[in-house]
Amino acid sequence: HGHVRFEGVSFGYDKGRPILDGLDIDVPAGTTLAVVGPSGAGKSTLARLLYRFYDVGTGRITIDGQDIAAVTQASLRAAIGIVPQDTVLFNDTIGYNIAYGREGAGPDEVARAAEGAAIAGFIERQPDGYDTRVGERGLKLSGGEKQRVAIARTLLKNPPILILDEATSALDSRTEADILATLEAVERGRTTIVIAHRLSTVVDADQIAVLDRGRVAERGTHAELLRRG
Ligand code: ADP
Ligand code: ADP
């Protein structure tokens, strides 16, 4: 499950000018949609609406046919994981930062977080257990490592729907490629919405939507979009 649809969704912040303007998007369960487009096009806004940070103006958003306005915030947020562009870590260990937000986040949670992170390939597994890095302070991590922590944190709740909101855009291209390669494995079987700046980073998406002024200006596979220029 995890079929996401935006049906004629319009939205403006504070009843101002429309940011999304009759947006139609269909992401079949288990597929990856990349959303690209110029800065200010409304890409982050559509992610925030799906997570219900804000309510849609007109139109509706459904998951498996159910209007998200009719489900509880808690169940919606259990179903969706968001990885934002800039992750602010707590002045605590990597393990704590990964487990943050989980029930209690006690030692068990931290251990489970470490395991989740290791399985996802975000923290190296040593022959005798987990890398001691889980106990290191998070604040000294590089940008790429911080994003790996953010991804591991989100994956720990095993959401059927994953949103990557420019999660790797601020990184150098080598680090970005490394993380995207790891993500490919965890995206399998999950509905994934990747918000990206560059078309070149979303080559493998099942579908790419080019957003412009709150509407889908073009859609297709990477090859189709290139062919059309
Ligand atoms: P993108 O992710 O494509 O760069 P955004 O969805 O972040 O675009 O923003 C779309 C438009 O909405 C921009 O003009 C932006 O200034 C405006 N906007 C974003 N967030 C807010 C907010 N919280 N309040 C008012 N306007 C906002
Ligand atoms: P849960 O309720 O399952 O603990 P949260 O709703 O607290 O999860 O957060 C889930 C993910 O969304 C976290 O990885 C967090 O970094 C991210 N997140 C939470 N709030 C915001 C926000 N305002 N903007 C962007 N990302 C957010």
Side-chain angles (χ1 to χ4, degrees), residues 35-39 43 85 166 169 195-202:
V35 181
V36 300
S39 176
K43 303 185 295 296
Q85 176 170 348
E166 306 251 17
S169 302
I195 295 172
H197 227 66
R198 293 182 294 270
L199 204 53
S200 60
T201 59
V202 293

Side-chain angles (χ1 to χ4, degrees), residues 95 102 122 175 180 194:
R102 304 306 114 212
F122 294 109
T175 307
L180 289 174
V194 185

Side-chain angles (χ1 to χ4, degrees), residues 13 17 19 38-45 48 54:
Y13 292 98
R17 69 192 171 84
I19 302 298
S39 176
K43 303 185 295 296
S44 290
T45 299
R48 290 180 202 134
Y54 300 92

Side-chain angles (χ1 to χ4, degrees), residues 11 20-22 39 42 44 54-55 64 68 74 80 84 94 129 141-142 174 183 212:
F11 173 80
L20 298 181
D21 184 17
S39 176
S44 290
Y54 300 92
D55 289 320
D64 298 326
I68 64 166
I80 302 173
I94 294 172
L141 296 180
S142 69
R174 170 83 198 277
L183 274 170
D212 190 21

Side-chain angles (χ1 to χ4, degrees), residues 13 24 27 51 57 60 63 65 80 128 132 134 136 143 154 185 206 209:
Y13 292 98
D24 291 309
V27 198
Y51 206 62
R60 62 179 203 148
I63 297 177
I80 302 173
D128 58 343
T132 49
V134 172
E136 278 177 34
T154 301
D206 297 305

Side-chain angles (χ1 to χ4, degrees), residues 94-95 98 107-136 156:
I94 294 172
I98 292 173
D108 288 355
E109 277 297 324
V110 173
R112 213 160 67 78
E115 180 147 359
I119 290 165
F122 294 109
I123 290 174
E124 282 172 42
R125 192 194 280 270
Q126 301 295 312
D128 58 343
Y130 299 113
D131 194 316
T132 49
R133 300 203 61 194
V134 172
E136 278 177 34
L156 189 61

Side-chain angles (χ1 to χ4, degrees), residues 17 27 30 50 56 59 92 94 100 106 131 160-161 166 188 204 218:
R17 69 192 171 84
V27 198
L50 179 56
V56 300
D92 209 305
I94 294 172
Y100 171 73
D131 194 316
I161 299 166
E166 306 251 17
R188 219 154 285 147
D204 295 328
E218 276 204 82

